Amino acid sequence: MEVSTKMTSKFVKVLSSAALTFVLAFPMGAYAATNPVVNETTFPSTETIINGSPTSENSDLIKPMDVLMGPYFDSYVQNYVTSVDKFRQIAAFTLDNRYSSSDTPVPMSVTITSSTSQGSEFSGSITFTGEVKAGIFGGISVANNYSVKETRTTNEAVGMTAGPLQVPKGKIGHIDMYYRAIQSGGGVKTYTYNTSNPSVKYYTTTPINVKTYKAAYPDVYTDPYLQ
Amino acid sequence: LTLVGCNNSNTGNTISQEHVNYEDFIDQYFYIQKTFISDNFESITPETVNFVTTTLPSQKLNSSKKNDAQNEDLKKPSRLESYYKSKNSNMIIKIDYIYNEEIQTNNFLSISSFYNDYNVNIKNEYSNLNRPFIVEHFITVKGMLISIKFINDVERNDYQKNIDESNVFYHEFEEILLSFK
């Protein structure tokens, strides 16, 4: 009951304020003649509030939404390229020549007999989808005139040799072997568009950095040293 | 290319199938490295394991042998190693795996003890020589001798605690050895 009373009094207030507006908007002379119209004009506006939006607008809501598509790869512009010698370690060999009785240095030569698969390293505020990666690799190939690949596969380094490192008596010889990477830095240009107007593309350039492998051969960096 | 005296169907192979070949030894080692995960001990050996070989002092046991590599090939160490650290104490554990194709049986050979209060076979007048805590297990599984050394610098009251800890490690490690074929 109380709610109903409040609603009623609110409705009366709305009516009276609408009436007051009407009174102020029209000359006194017209008021008496148009008085019944006040109710008619007030009622549809109430209906509008209940429905939230006009029926004509509601029919728009079930049309396909305008969707943002992308980002899609456009191009990769390389700003610099460097070499990273010790990117992923493949193997490590040690020859301890401290126990030997001979004064003759021992030549240390080694060969990789097994290696695990090793991936690349991407950094940047972008989702590195297959399309983006492929695009970046294409850009790197063009910029440097050699092709690159994302993964060194299992046993790809098998048969790679290093040495001889001459290890004197009393020393420990080490040969560490790594996959060398190329490091390319630059900008990935991507675009998005709205389905409502696909011909208008919005471009963004995101700085990225990738450490990856030359495709032609297993580029192995050897680090021999004595301890 | 045909070499006189050599052919593909070499029947003079004296190594029986029971013998563990070198590649299997390497595989078993890496299997342990990957599989042995413990709540009480952590591996402190890097993923890229260093293949260590050592030149031997001049020796007459097999005098032509200059280093401990398999067939003296420096890329084929006869001994592989790994380290663990206790999560509950300062104990460090070193395991040596030594390839020997003639070892056929799984066998817990012995335990060697070495610490300050353990004076068996040390003359009384030398019983005060300061020593670190070292307990060593000698084990064989097919194709290899395994030595597990438990090393710590412990107070007098903690010997038994360390011995108990070495047993905990052994029982966890043994599970991996038993999973070998």
Side-chain angles (χ1 to χ4, degrees), chain A residues 94-121:
Chain A
T94 294
L95 174 62
D96 186 344
N97 198 25
R98 293 173 302 165
Y99 300 90
S100 170
S101 310
S102 164
D103 289 333
T104 314
V106 179
M108 181 185 179
S109 295
V110 293
T111 308
I112 294 172
T113 52
S114 71
S115 65
T116 53
S117 73
Q118 300 288 345
S120 295
E121 190 178 297

Side-chain angles (χ1 to χ4, degrees), chain A residues 20 61 66 78 93 99 133-134 137 153 164 174 185 197 206 221:
Chain A
L20 183 61
L61 287 176
D66 185 21
Q78 179 179 281
F93 298 93
Y99 300 90
K133 284 179 186 172
F137 282 5
T153 55
H174 298 276
N197 192 359
T206 310
Y221 174 76

Side-chain angles (χ1 to χ4, degrees), chain B residues 59-67 72:
Chain B
Q59 48 93 20
K60 289 169 183 156
L61 294 175
N62 47 354
S63 56
S64 66
K65 194 173 173 182
K66 298 284 186 285
N67 63 54
E72 301 203 44

Side-chain angles (χ1 to χ4, degrees), chain A residues 101-171:
Chain A
S101 310
S102 164
D103 289 333
T104 314
V106 179
M108 181 185 179
S109 295
V110 293
T111 308
I112 294 172
T113 52
S114 71
S115 65
T116 53
S117 73
Q118 300 288 345
S120 295
E121 190 178 297
F122 295 83
S123 56
S125 300
I126 190 170
T127 305
F128 290 97
T129 60
E131 186 208 16
V132 170
K133 284 179 186 172
I136 293 169
F137 282 5
I140 291 172
S141 297
V142 171
N144 305 308
N145 209 22
Y146 52 72
S147 56
V148 290
K149 64 173 188 176
E150 189 176 345
T151 308
R152 290 274 183 233
T153 55
T154 302
N155 287 337
E156 190 169 340
V158 167
M160 301 298 286
T161 59
L165 169 67
Q166 298 295 335
V167 185
K169 181 185 175 183
K171 293 283 183 187

